[in-house]
Amino acid sequence: MLPIDAAAHSSRWRRRHPSEKAALGFGLTICAVCLPPWPGALLVAAATLAVLLGPAGVPGRQLWRAFRVPLGFCVTGAVPLLFAVGGPGGAVAWAPDGPVHAGELLLRTASASLGVLLFAFTTPVSDVLPRLVRAGVPAPVVDVALVMYRIVFLLLDAQAKVRQAQAARLGATTRAAVWRSLAGLGATSFVRAFDRAQRLQSGLAGRGYDGTLRVLLPGAPVSRPFLAATGGLLAGLVALTLVLERFLP
């Protein structure tokens, strides 16, 4: 199991209805994208961090480990805005408004990533996928997603064991050995994926699979106070952004 999935299963909000957390997480994401980056995205990021580290109870170290991956993509996407290709400055030159545009993009994307992480850190995928059928998503699509979700963890576990065995046999001592180990890892993963899929199909057929995976979900009523607090937070962020935008440079 990935660390973010393990954190979601042990989250304080694990028993809350996924729609509550979706309203909060994706509402903050929409605010980060739609509001002006300064000061809107900065306020959204601060509010999201406060919720993550406060009521949601996400450890700061785990949050940073998960956040640094999308942050790397955000920085990579913002760096090209610093340069201008062609024109009077030469083939490649500093863009006149490059730092401003790069900073705005970085603020928007980083804040939006935190909103998505809020949902991911508090809601296991196994709680969301079965409920998508009630939301109108075709059942076969949800079944395939559930099966893939299970197979991914099995393959990751198998890959970890294969890499450990290769390292014990000095499979990473030289560059040539590393390439041979990678080729062997890819071939083994390909064969094991087919084997796992076949065994899973046999298991489902043995349990009388009729085209629908029936999953027992724990009852989780939607909390109106939580939704009201979410609406108040989002409305407060929008109002504060519009007010500060008039007074800040």
Side-chain angles (χ1 to χ4, degrees), residues 8-25:
H9 279 279
S10 59
S11 170
R12 292 178 185 171
W13 291 353
R14 168 73 170 78
R15 300 301 175 191
R16 287 196 172 277
H17 198 281
S19 62
E20 301 174 5
K21 295 170 281 188
L24 177 59

Side-chain angles (χ1 to χ4, degrees), residues 35-93:
L35 290 176
W38 172 258
L42 191 62
L43 291 175
V44 172
T48 309
L49 281 175
V51 174
L52 277 165
L53 302 176
V58 178
R61 181 173 297 180
Q62 288 187 359
L63 177 61
W64 167 244
R65 287 179 179 175
F67 180 59
R68 62 187 179 184
V69 177
L71 182 62
F73 285 100
C74 298
V75 173
T76 304
V79 167
L81 297 179
L82 298 174
F83 304 97
V85 179
V92 179

Side-chain angles (χ1 to χ4, degrees), residues 155-172 178 181-182 184-186 188-189 192:
L155 289 179
L156 288 176
D157 181 63
Q159 286 185 352
K161 292 179 179 176
V162 171
R163 293 185 66 178
Q164 186 177 6
Q166 289 175 341
R169 295 171 182 170
L170 304 180
V178 170
S181 298
L182 287 176
L185 179 62
T188 304
S189 301
R192 291 200 177 191

Side-chain angles (χ1 to χ4, degrees), residues 83-175:
F83 304 97
V85 179
V92 179
W94 291 104
D97 297 330
V100 176
H101 293 314
E104 291 178 351
L105 179 65
L106 190 59
L107 276 176
R108 283 187 191 277
T109 52
S111 302
S113 300
L114 285 173
V116 176
L117 285 178
L118 173 60
F119 182 74
F121 263 107
T122 55
T123 310
V125 177
S126 56
D127 284 359
V128 178
L129 289 179
R131 288 184 168 89
L132 293 180
V133 178
R134 302 175 186 173
V137 179
V141 176
V142 176
D143 292 347
V144 171
L146 279 171
V147 171
M148 293 302 298
Y149 177 69
R150 173 62 177 165
I151 286 182
V152 164
F153 291 114
L154 294 175
L155 289 179
L156 288 176
D157 181 63
Q159 286 185 352
K161 292 179 179 176
V162 171
R163 293 185 66 178
Q164 186 177 6
Q166 289 175 341
R169 295 171 182 170
L170 304 180
T173 53
T174 63
R175 182 175 298 179

